[in-house]
Amino acid sequence: MQKIDWQEIEKAKQAAISVLLHNAHGPFNGLPRTAGWGYPEPYTRDLMFSIFGIAVSGNVELSISIRVVLETLASNQTEHGHIPSLVHDNDDRGASDTTPLFLLGTGIYRKLSGEADFLKNAVDKALTWMKYQSPSDRYMVAQQPTSDWRDEQWVIGYGLFVNAVVYSYLKMLGDDERAEDMCYEMKQFAIEDGYIPHHIHEGLMVRSKPYFAFLVVQGILL
């Protein structure tokens, strides 16, 4: 059994906290910057990812900074509940993952702060928005090509990433029943025991993998 080097882990933790503290105040309305010495803009997606580390850091300054981010996002939320891609710009819209990431981030912050109703109105609006992203009126949400976060090769329709975030915020916000129903739906896309469901084209199956290929280009599975 490999011995855990806790000193190295602590060094990595402190280095990460240093970067987050460096990022805590940026040039756009004092909001945190996205990358340490890179993007100065406050991108919603990246800042919502940072809350995972902030929540376990125990750092008060970072907790305050992410609270400001969440409150600013709520103030820039659209009339129908969508969350913008840039925290300070309510006209920068269209990403499929910013609203579910906001819900996940708010759920984490509620656990961290003990404020069970933190940003309740904004959360309720965002939950309604997400329900309308399901073409089948069930649980899985779909996305357009231009709304995916992967510029180089976007996923259309039922993307795994965005639906994994949706499942996560449902669990974080305590909607276990809807989360389990969604989990059941997501499993319909899996390939188990060598059986290919009728809705999966034979050419898209990846042998020995529990999923099908993203697409086929000239016979090459991707």
Side-chain angles (χ1 to χ4, degrees):
M1 183 176 178
Q2 187 175 2
K3 184 179 179 180
I4 299 175
D5 190 336
W6 291 107
Q7 287 186 334
E8 286 299 312
I9 292 174
E10 182 61 27
K11 287 180 182 178
K13 175 184 175 181
Q14 294 307 318
I17 290 176
S18 295
V19 173
L20 289 170
L21 287 170
H22 172 271
N23 291 0
H25 303 285
F28 293 89
N29 301 339
L31 292 162
R33 52 190 297 130
T34 294
W37 291 265
Y39 295 114
E41 300 87 356
Y43 281 103
T44 299
R45 177 181 303 117
D46 304 77
L47 293 178
M48 289 299 95
F49 285 144
S50 74
I51 198 172
F52 291 101
I54 290 172
V56 297
S57 71
N59 189 286
V60 175
E61 182 179 347
L62 292 177
S63 296
I64 293 173
S65 73
I66 205 66
R67 182 188 183 98
V68 171
V69 168
L70 292 167
E71 290 175 337
T72 306
L73 284 172
S75 69
N76 285 315
Q77 188 178 34
T78 68
E79 177 184 357
H80 298 295
H82 185 41
I83 295 294
S85 300
L86 282 169
V87 177
H88 67 299
D89 186 354
N90 58 17
D91 287 328
D92 194 321
R93 309 175 186 178
S96 63
D97 62 338
T98 50
T99 306
L101 283 170
F102 166 76
L103 288 167
L104 178 57
T106 303
I108 293 173
Y109 187 81
R110 285 179 173 183
K111 298 282 187 182
L112 177 66
S113 66
E115 299 175 59
D117 290 328
F118 178 65
L119 297 181
K120 184 180 186 307
N121 291 338
V123 166
D124 289 344
K125 285 175 64 176
L127 288 170
T128 299
W129 168 269
M130 290 309 303
K131 287 181 180 178
Y132 279 107
Q133 305 316 303
S134 175
S136 63
D137 257 348
R138 291 176 61 81
Y139 310 104
M140 297 275 290
V141 303
Q143 60 188 11
Q144 300 177 32
T146 53
S147 68
D148 192 18
W149 67 276
R150 284 172 288 199
D151 300 325
E152 76 285 356
Q153 189 170 2
W154 31 258
V155 174
I156 56 176
Y158 298 112
L160 174 61
F161 168 67
V162 68
N163 279 287
V165 177
V166 172
Y167 174 80
S168 298
Y169 80 62
L170 288 171
K171 294 292 288 184
M172 184 59 64
L173 294 175
D175 194 345
D176 293 332
E177 182 176 352
R178 188 173 181 86
E180 293 309 310
D181 288 337
M182 183 177 186
C183 184
Y184 174 80
E185 273 199 359
M186 292 176 74
K187 287 182 178 179
Q188 303 313 303
F189 288 87
I191 301 173
E192 299 175 352
D193 300 325
Y195 167 71
I196 307 177
H198 66 85
H199 60 278
I200 296 179
H201 190 278
E202 179 182 13
L204 290 176
M205 180 179 177
V206 182
R207 297 192 182 281
S208 76
K209 300 293 183 180
Y211 49 80
F212 53 93
F214 170 56
L215 53 85
V216 177
V217 179
Q218 296 181 342
I220 301 174
L221 293 177
L222 300 178

